[in-house]
Amino acid sequence: MKHSNCIWLMVLTLLMPLQSLAASQWAKEAEVVAGGQVVADEDASNAQAVTRADAGIYTWWTLNAAELSHGRYAIYVRARSLDGQARSFSESVKIDGQLVDTLSATVDHRAYRWYRLGFFDFATGQTLLLADWSSPSLQVDKLIIEPIVSAAGADIAGGNLVADSGASTGQAIVRQTAGPYTWYVHSVSPPHGNYSVYVRARALGAATTFTQHVVVNGKTVAVKATEIGDSNYRWVRAADFEYTGSNLRLSDYSSPGLAVDRVALVQSKPKDETLSLYHLWYGNAHLAGIRTQQAEAVAGGSVFDDELADDARAVSRDSVGIYTWWTPTSSELIAGQRYTVDVRARSLDGAAHSFGMIVKSGATVLSNKSTSVAGSAYKWYSSTDSFVADGSPMTLSDWSDPGLAIDSIRLVRTSVDTQSDDYRRIGFFAQGNPSVPGISETAGRVSIVPVNAQTTYAYFRDRVSNDPNRLKLMVGTSTDGGLNFEVRTQPAIDSTVAFNVPGAGLIDQAYDPSVIRTGSGYQMVFEGLGPQTRVSSFLADSADGLTGWTVRGPVVKSDHAEGSASTPTLIAHADTGELHLQWVNVHEFSELTSRHQASLSHLKSWNPGAVWPQPAAVFTDTDYGRLPQGGAGSWDDKNFGAGSVLSEDGVYYLAHEGANYFGCGGDWALGMARNQEATLTDPSAWEKSALSPWMKAYNTGSCWISYPYLSKLNGRYYVYYQHPEIEWVPERQTNDIYRRRIVIGAE
């Protein structure tokens, strides 16, 4: 259908700013409103869920008008099928005892997912009851009710207003010719994520078409035509889209013959801690210790559209002056803690220009530093020296040259609040003696495995005492939520003495592990090598995760001098448990570090003429299964390095290190990629986040930040990583292990 620019311009006078999505929600753990049997469940949001052996009620939740105001709501349930078979969860909505609707979802995954059951109106009445009558063999974790913000056609008219008793306001929009009925603009950007557009409409005669257009930052991202033939009002799903911009417009260009009452914008997922990785991907979460602001949100200059900026907008000036002016709230600063400020900027003409950042506490200047910004590509620059928050109101502002584009600024806490669970340095102490270090130096990559609500295992490397150039694998146990680990004296993989591995021969180094707990025990992959063996990825297993580790063989083996099969990562399919391997190939000749993936079953059986782990069966093609490399000039174009994968709500998220140099040099940072459950087996389907990197090394020239490991402990998500954050100086580098919690909420 034609949609000329003049039509868009014609309705500009009709633009009405609308309120952003409401943040309020009502949430209940299923066991609090249980109609079924409460059971322990480590994967549930608070380690408890509700189940039934027969059809019946899982949850029974009553609210009154004093608790839940009148309006329209979406309801979500977090549930899983115990056997993976399709099961029905059907929620009854009763107002003052009268059934007004039944909302249903099919639950067909063993792993927990959030399901949006549908919508209901609590427009009148005093008491709302939500109760289900559902299939057996489900486990139900949590319910959430969120308000739906919608706009009446009378307020966002692109057509003609007419009286209509069936419309929610007594007025509807009609048209005699093709054109826009509604023009819906968010003057305040809603949270990033997946959305659906719904329209409440009816046909005035024969069936006709409503065509919804979704425009993000001036670009059309979705167009959908929906036939409407019912003469009674009904809500129809008019569009689905992914939103990562800063300006959203919803407008239709539709056939005549409709009456349009309302338009609603509905999030596909609730804003909940059980979706921390989803919200981190979309920028609706942050890592404790870091606060980021888009420059246009604290603008002292002129805001302009810039496709190179994270959200396609930046701030510029054509004279000396202030680009940004940010007054962090008290919740964003901790008195006594040390901070720095970074700016993401570029030069509009490629020449060097000065950006001068000033940090003031009241009238006291805490930091005043000028930074040279050169080059037409955006980069993060350290724009202040380290300073200490004193608890007084603080202002971050600049006085800078013209000719710059400023995308965003961020406040980074560089000292550790030892009282906070959000940001901590991890401790490793000797078995039976908390006052003695349990390892000789840095732990390097740490693989975190939750055992139960009380116990967490960690796997990491340490030096072999009689040969400081060799490494062995250790295991530690934590009973304080993954903060401090008692390191067992006996190594998990002891390479103190070289030992023989089928398919590889002698190996005398074992390091950088990844461990997964399965129904039959623990599976480990690790990086190893020996006198005649190049860097390869080995597979081992143990019944209890602590003792009896047996190395079964190499699953990816480098057979050439300029490549590797290193820092392997195990991925378990959330529903089937099938194991996949990712590994890194550091190719010294081409100066490229790439990431690869294949299923363990394929790696062990690709050669039907051999029986794994005999040498003929060992997979040696380290170029197989490559994940998409970053484009030229991107922050990780030369190095798609070590990482870990965690599944959440049908999506697999990969936290990875990256750099613009293939080895320990250049600018290092941490970023994220994702893959959908349906395409997990396809390495090319991994998609990198446009918001990456979300953590970068303070210093350049080496791999100062590395080995990110995602973990979910007692319902909370964390990133463990190696970084010399505390009082770093080149003469006494200490690559300690830190942990940051992924916190839901705008930064």
Side-chain angles (χ1 to χ4, degrees):
M1 181 181 293
K2 279 182 129 179
H3 194 162
S4 65
N5 288 333
C6 63
I7 296 292
W8 290 92
L9 294 172
M10 180 179 69
V11 293
L12 284 175
T13 56
L14 302 173
L15 296 186
M16 295 285 291
L18 300 175
Q19 63 194 113
S20 60
L21 292 178
S24 300
Q25 68 173 209
W26 291 259
K28 280 287 184 183
E29 296 291 343
E31 65 271 14
V32 176
V33 289
Q37 176 187 358
V38 178
V39 295
D41 185 350
E42 293 175 17
D43 294 322
S45 59
N46 67 342
Q48 284 186 310
V50 174
T51 189
R52 291 188 65 90
D54 54 3
I57 297 172
Y58 288 82
T59 59
W60 184 280
W61 186 6
T62 302
L63 300 97
N64 58 47
E67 299 173 279
L68 185 72
S69 58
H70 289 159
R72 185 167 177 81
Y73 295 89
I75 182 167
Y76 307 82
V77 63
R78 188 173 190 257
R80 66 188 182 100
S81 169
L82 291 175
D83 57 8
Q85 300 298 310
R87 309 282 179 179
S88 176
F89 185 89
S90 297
E91 191 79 61
S92 298
V93 180
K94 292 185 177 182
I95 296 176
D96 293 345
Q98 298 297 311
L99 179 66
V100 296
D101 210 344
T102 300
L103 310 175
S104 298
T106 299
V107 179
D108 55 1
H109 293 275
R110 285 190 177 91
Y112 276 113
R113 290 194 179 186
W114 275 106
Y115 296 87
R116 190 175 66 196
L117 297 174
F119 320 107
F120 65 90
D121 289 301
F122 186 40
T124 60
Q126 294 301 310
T127 303
L128 172 71
L129 171 64
L130 301 174
D132 67 276
W133 186 267
S134 303
S135 302
S137 299
L138 290 173
Q139 281 197 186
V140 180
D141 177 26
K142 194 173 184 179
L143 294 168
I144 282 180
I145 301 170
E146 286 189 342
I148 297 172
V149 177
S150 62
D155 295 329
I156 52 174
N160 301 312
L161 278 173
V162 298
D164 187 340
S165 60
S168 57
T169 62
Q171 290 181 306
I173 305 300
V174 299
R175 289 191 66 86
Q176 302 303 315
T177 59
Y181 287 82
T182 58
W183 184 276
Y184 188 8
V185 179
H186 266 277
S187 58
V188 178
S189 177
H192 293 170
N194 298 102
Y195 286 88
S196 297
V197 181
Y198 287 81
V199 61
R200 187 173 188 263
R202 67 184 181 91
L204 296 174
T208 190
T209 301
F210 183 89
T211 302
Q212 183 72 58
H213 293 254
V214 180
V215 181
V216 175
N217 289 16
K219 295 183 178 180
T220 300
V221 298
V223 179
K224 183 181 178 182
T226 305
E227 185 177 88
I228 298 175
D230 199 329
S231 60
N232 296 314
Y233 277 112
R234 63 183 180 93
W235 284 98
V236 298
R237 193 168 180 167
D240 299 290
F241 66 99
E242 191 173 67
Y243 178 67
T244 55
S246 57
N247 179 270
L248 174 65
R249 298 179 183 177
L250 307 176
S251 180
D252 67 278
Y253 193 83
S254 304
S255 301
L258 292 174
V260 178
D261 177 24
R262 300 192 73 84
V263 173
L265 183 63
V266 185
Q267 298 183 74
S268 297
K269 298 180 187 294
K271 197 162 191 178
D272 186 80
E273 293 285 352
T274 61
L275 291 168
S276 290
L277 301 179
Y278 170 87
H279 292 300
L280 180 63
W281 175 269
Y282 283 111
N284 304 326
H286 63 271
L287 298 172
I290 299 177
R291 297 290 187 273
T292 303
Q293 282 278 10
Q294 293 296 322
E296 63 270 14
V298 289
S302 301
V303 179
F304 72 105
D305 293 336
D306 185 354
E307 293 184 1
L308 298 177
D310 282 340
D311 65 346
R313 291 201 299 173
V315 174
S316 68
R317 291 190 64 89
D318 55 11
S319 60
V320 175
I322 297 171
Y323 285 82
T324 60
W325 184 280
W326 181 17
T327 304
T329 64
S330 57
S331 63
E332 293 174 301
L333 293 164
I334 300 175
Q337 296 296 293
R338 188 169 291 277
Y339 294 86
T340 61
V341 179
D342 299 338
V343 61
R344 189 170 189 264
R346 69 183 182 93
S347 168
L348 290 173
D349 59 9
H353 300 281
S354 178
F355 181 86
M357 176 60 74
I358 305 166
V359 181
K360 286 186 176 181
S361 175
T364 303
V365 176
L366 302 180
S367 178
N368 188 346
K369 180 181 177 180
S370 293
T371 302
S372 178
V373 176
S376 57
Y378 276 112
K379 286 180 58 178
W380 281 104
Y381 294 86
S382 177
S383 63
T384 68
D385 295 322
S386 179
F387 60 89
V388 176
D390 61 7
S392 301
M394 186 175 293
T395 301
L396 313 177
S397 65
D398 68 278
W399 185 261
S400 305
D401 291 345
L404 295 174
I406 310 298
D407 180 17
S408 53
I409 59 175
R410 66 185 179 193
L411 188 65
V412 181
R413 191 167 82 232
T414 58
S415 58
V416 173
D417 176 11
T418 57
Q419 303 304 310
S420 169
D421 182 44
D422 292 346
Y423 176 39
R424 290 287 296 271
R425 184 174 6 183
I426 304 305
F428 301 92
F429 61 90
Q431 191 167 358
N433 192 344
S435 64
V436 175
I439 50 179
S440 60
E441 59 175 64
T442 203
R445 187 194 204 191
V446 174
S447 176
I448 303 295
V449 180
V451 180
N452 51 47
Q454 293 76 40
T455 305
T456 305
Y457 292 164
Y459 302 85
F460 42 86
R461 68 190 184 200
D462 195 16
R463 295 288 176 186
V464 171
S465 59
N466 61 357
D467 187 346
N469 295 317
R470 285 167 51 196
L471 297 166
K472 59 187 176 181
L473 280 175
M474 308 298 290
V475 58
T477 302
S478 170
T479 56
D480 65 355
L483 293 174
N484 296 285
F485 291 88
E486 182 182 18
V487 181
R488 293 176 59 87
T489 303
Q490 179 61 34
I493 306 293
D494 190 356
S495 53
T496 303
V497 177
F499 60 96
N500 188 69
V501 175
L506 289 176
I507 68 168
D508 57 8
Q509 297 237 44
Y511 48 98
D512 294 350
S514 170
V515 180
I516 282 182
R517 184 163 64 102
T518 69
S520 59
Y522 294 75
Q523 296 281 331
M524 174 195 288
V525 288
F526 65 90
E527 182 176 334
L529 70 158
Q532 285 82 43
T533 303
R534 287 281 302 165
V535 174
S536 301
S537 293
F538 292 83
L539 180 66
D541 56 60
S542 164
D544 63 7
L546 298 175
T547 61
W549 282 98
T550 302
V551 181
R552 301 298 181 184
V555 282
V556 183
K557 181 180 178 182
S558 177
D559 64 349
H560 54 100
E562 292 168 339
S564 68
S566 55
T567 48
T569 297
L570 277 176
I571 307 168
H573 190 284
D575 277 352
T576 67
E578 180 185 13
L579 295 180
H580 300 262
L581 181 76
Q582 287 189 353
W583 70 94
V584 173
N585 182 20
V586 183
H587 201 284
E588 297 172 11
F589 179 76
S590 61
E591 296 191 348
L592 183 71
T593 294
S594 54
R595 193 170 184 87
H596 304 258
Q597 177 184 307
S599 70
L600 268 186
S601 61
H602 179 69
L603 294 174
K604 293 193 292 185
S605 63
W606 68 277
N607 184 349
V611 178
W612 187 85
Q614 296 308 311
V618 175
F619 201 75
T620 57
D621 182 5
T622 49
D623 286 330
Y624 177 86
R626 180 178 293 187
L627 276 65
Q629 197 80 20
S634 62
W635 69 279
D636 58 348
D637 59 349
K638 298 297 184 183
N639 195 324
F640 192 175
S644 69
V645 176
L646 206 58
S647 64
E648 177 192 84
D649 208 44
V651 180
Y652 295 80
Y653 294 91
L654 163 64
H656 66 92
E657 63 190 23
N660 55 5
Y661 185 69
F662 80 104
C664 274
D667 298 316
W668 276 61
L670 305 182
M672 181 174 278
R674 70 176 180 182
N675 203 342
Q676 306 297 322
E677 186 172 78
T679 56
L680 176 61
T681 58
D682 180 4
S684 69
W686 284 92
E687 169 195 7
K688 289 189 174 182
S689 171
L691 298 179
S692 295
W694 34 255
M695 195 187 302
K696 73 179 187 69
Y698 184 79
N699 297 278
T700 61
S702 192
C703 43
W704 299 130
I705 187 167
S706 53
Y707 298 131
Y709 210 92
L710 291 170
S711 185
K712 187 177 184 181
L713 303 174
N714 294 326
R716 290 183 170 184
Y717 286 82
Y718 300 91
V719 179
Y720 288 77
Y721 60 100
Q722 176 182 267
H723 198 7
E725 297 204 24
I726 303 301
E727 298 177 358
W728 181 93
V729 293
E731 294 78 19
R732 50 186 177 88
Q733 175 199 350
T734 56
N735 282 346
D736 293 314
I737 305 301
Y738 288 82
R739 183 180 83 177
R740 278 193 167 120
R741 183 183 167 204
I742 302 173
V743 181
I744 302 301
E747 294 190 350

